[in-house]
Amino acid sequence: MSNLDVHPAATVVGGREDVSARPVHELLTGKLVQLGESTQVRRLLPTLGRRMVGAWCFVDHYGPDDIGDSTGMHVPPHPHTGLQTVSWLHDGEILHRDSLGSVQTLRPYQLGLMTAGRAIAHAEVSPREHPRLLHGAQLWVALPDGHRNTAPNFEHHATLPVVDAPGLRATVILGEVDGAASPGTTFSPLVGADLALDAGADVRLPLEPDFEYAVLAMSGEADVDGVPVSAGSMLYLGCGRRELPLRAADTSSGLMLLGGEPFEEQIIMWWNFVGRTGDEISAAREAWMTGDRFGEVRGYDGDRLSAPQLPPTPLKPRGRVR
Ligand code: MN
């Protein structure tokens, strides 16, 4: 997925000042963002109040949308640097194509993990023949300085480890849950897990006290540490927890747990790039516009995305902006 804003703001994120060392409850309701003609998403990260959760720096939740009578998702080729993208579906299918030549249909509860590293380009569309419903999340993970120029890579993991407890089915997307580890490549200590709660579930999930965490509700409503979180919202939890109480009332619910070691480095996010300096971001934009560095997404029928104009003020990493 791409940030399709015509005038994207630069976001400076990372560093410790924003991280709550103690358990907190901070409910994020997100904002509606139009992605192209067809898709509307709820953006949970970054928001004005909260920029990162561990290395997770971007969270869009979309659907469930009825796309039975439309072409569905249609995101033309666009570039990424300095991050990984995580595609996660509850319903529907997405056809991923990238400049490495990967062509992969992504299905519910499968991991599409794209490491941009130095440079990659990709396109994401609904296949011509597609299921009626589309429901998922698109997330980005910032790469730490030592790995952000790593070679680009695409991984598809059709099966992932599952941790079962009464009323809970936890699918490990990245990192580790209760000793079960995802095969997805990570570059900093973090976790991503899908938590399917049955109606009436009352469970405690083991956590890492040094990680900060948030829980995104994708469907239904659940009590997360006593706070009701409904579909489309995310509860930031801070650090310092060894376990997380989860309860589902009279309906089942679908949650995502996101967590990780607080990300110490300050980064600049602009459009689809994560960098460290304004010059670097500007060079990435230039490279995309002149056809350098990012390669070509073959087999996509249509034009690639143009980069928006850079903001008139220079992009600089600065102190906290909250
Ligand atoms: Mn993308």
Side-chain angles (χ1 to χ4, degrees):
M1 185 147 314
S2 169
N3 185 341
L4 293 178
D5 288 358
V6 181
H7 300 291
T11 314
V12 180
V13 301
R16 280 213 73 109
E17 295 101 285
D18 236 7
V19 176
S20 174
R22 288 178 308 177
V24 291
H25 294 148
E26 193 180 299
L27 191 63
L28 309 172
T29 51
K31 66 167 183 174
L32 286 176
V33 175
Q34 191 73 29
L35 284 190
E37 295 151 26
S38 51
T39 311
Q40 201 178 49
V41 304
R42 286 167 294 281
R43 182 151 304 157
L44 284 312
L45 277 185
T47 64
L48 283 178
R50 180 62 47 194
R51 311 296 176 84
M52 289 182 96
V53 179
W56 299 95
C57 61
F58 183 95
V59 177
D60 272 356
H61 172 234
Y62 54 90
D65 292 323
D66 185 339
I67 59 166
D69 299 321
S70 77
T71 54
M73 180 182 284
H74 197 82
V75 183
H78 60 277
H80 287 290
T81 59
L83 56 83
Q84 293 176 291
T85 65
V86 172
S87 302
W88 190 249
L89 289 173
H90 274 187
D91 290 293
E93 292 179 359
I94 291 175
L95 178 59
H96 163 99
R97 282 193 179 90
D98 64 42
S99 49
L100 304 173
S102 318
V103 180
Q104 180 66 54
T105 302
L106 303 171
R107 298 191 169 86
Y109 298 91
Q110 301 182 348
L111 171 60
L113 176 63
M114 187 178 79
T115 300
R118 183 169 173 273
I120 202 167
H122 72 151
E124 296 151 296
V125 299
S126 297
R128 193 164 302 146
E129 301 281 325
H130 52 252
R132 177 160 282 278
L133 287 182
L134 179 63
H135 182 202
Q138 168 80 16
L139 309 99
W140 298 355
V141 175
L143 293 174
D145 199 42
H147 295 285
R148 64 197 187 91
N149 290 313
T150 192
N153 188 33
F154 179 75
E155 296 168 48
H156 174 238
H157 299 286
T159 51
L160 294 167
V162 170
V163 177
D164 277 312
L168 169 70
R169 181 177 172 82
T171 306
V172 190
I173 301 169
L174 283 179
E176 212 176 293
V177 175
D178 205 17
S182 162
T185 306
T186 55
F187 296 89
S188 63
L190 59 85
V191 68
D194 186 281
L195 309 174
L197 287 180
D198 297 337
D202 187 351
V203 293
R204 288 171 177 270
L205 194 72
L207 298 186
E208 197 63 54
D210 294 338
F211 280 15
E212 59 176 342
Y213 286 96
V215 170
L216 165 70
M218 287 185 58
S219 59
E221 181 178 301
D223 266 19
V224 179
D225 195 23
V227 179
V229 184
S230 54
S233 303
M234 189 163 86
L235 184 69
Y236 176 74
L237 293 158
C239 304
R241 291 167 196 271
R242 294 189 178 277
E243 57 177 22
L244 185 63
L246 299 168
R247 295 177 78 150
D250 41 6
T251 58
S252 58
S253 60
L255 311 176
M256 270 185 103
L257 175 76
L258 305 174
E261 221 167 62
F263 198 80
E264 305 270 356
E265 300 165 31
Q266 281 217 325
I267 62 179
I268 299 178
M269 288 174 65
W270 181 79
W271 195 41
N272 295 306
F273 304 132
V274 169
R276 298 295 185 279
T277 68
D279 286 351
E280 195 188 300
I281 299 278
S282 159
R285 179 188 182 280
E286 188 64 20
W288 174 249
M289 293 307 278
T290 54
D292 284 347
R293 199 202 299 186
F294 292 94
E296 199 185 321
V297 180
R298 296 184 192 279
Y300 175 84
D301 185 19
D303 293 335
R304 57 193 217 140
L305 282 181
S306 270
Q309 291 298 319
L310 284 164
T313 48
L315 305 173
K316 284 188 201 155
R318 331 162 260 198
R320 294 298 334 141
V321 195
R322 272 198 76 177

